Amino acid sequence: MLTEEQLLKMSEKDYMNADQLAFFKARLQQLEKDLLKNAGETTEHLRETVLVPDPADRATIEEEHALELRTRDRERKLLKKVQQSIQIIDNGEYGWCEETGEPIGVPRLLARPTATLSLEAQQRRELKQKLYGD
């Protein structure tokens, strides 16, 4: 398995070769496993009901549960993107911008393995959203 350093040293002609695809697939699968583990732990944690007579303590516990649920909701959305990215690798289209067809780039994929847009396309999309709304 390649390391990040080896991946970054590879030439542009090696972009999204079998070794790079295997690296990103392994990284995405590990991320998927971690997200599923976190979801299971949250479920177990929320089942542990503690009866606290003090209203302030109860409010603190409820706020912690709400924060944990918001975090898991974000992770649920990320899990969907991770699973889509694994499917894109299997389809042979991973690493290429879905808007322009250009390479997304190894550094960007290392930072955000679920990226589907090149940096320029993402910036254009964000600017458009900022100017015109969703």
Side-chain angles (χ1 to χ4, degrees):
M1 185 63 70
L2 293 173
T3 65
E4 286 188 22
E5 294 78 28
Q6 292 171 322
L7 202 61
L8 290 167
K9 289 180 183 176
M10 295 178 98
S11 70
E12 287 184 25
K13 67 179 177 62
D14 293 325
Y15 187 69
M16 289 302 118
N17 64 20
D19 290 336
Q20 288 184 350
L21 289 172
F23 173 89
F24 285 110
K25 186 168 185 175
R27 179 167 276 195
L28 287 162
Q29 287 172 332
Q30 183 60 49
L31 183 56
E32 178 183 35
K33 191 183 306 178
D34 293 344
L35 291 169
L36 290 170
K37 180 179 172 240
N38 287 348
E41 288 174 0
T42 296
T43 303
E44 288 301 315
H45 182 250
L46 293 176
R47 283 188 184 149
E48 297 169 2
T49 309
V50 179
L51 296 175
V52 182
D54 182 37
D57 290 342
R58 193 173 0 180
T60 300
I61 291 170
E62 288 174 6
E63 186 60 35
E64 288 172 355
H65 284 175
L67 178 62
E68 193 168 355
L69 287 172
R70 282 194 302 270
T71 301
R72 294 302 162 252
D73 187 50
R74 280 192 211 106
E75 287 183 352
R76 181 185 53 80
K77 292 174 185 172
L78 177 58
L79 178 62
K80 186 176 177 181
K81 288 181 180 183
V82 166
Q83 291 168 337
Q84 288 172 341
S85 294
I86 292 170
Q87 185 63 45
I88 291 170
I89 288 174
D90 293 340
N91 293 342
E93 300 169 4
Y94 184 78
W96 303 94
C97 179
E98 65 183 20
E99 205 170 272
T100 64
E102 298 172 355
I104 293 173
V106 171
R108 177 158 165 74
L109 290 170
L110 284 171
R112 186 175 202 89
T114 58
T116 57
L117 297 172
S118 66
L119 187 57
E120 294 79 18
Q122 182 67 35
Q123 288 171 336
R124 278 194 306 273
R125 181 175 282 183
E126 288 173 1
L127 180 61
K128 207 180 286 185
Q129 285 175 342
K130 185 178 178 183
L131 292 174
Y132 305 112
D134 240 351

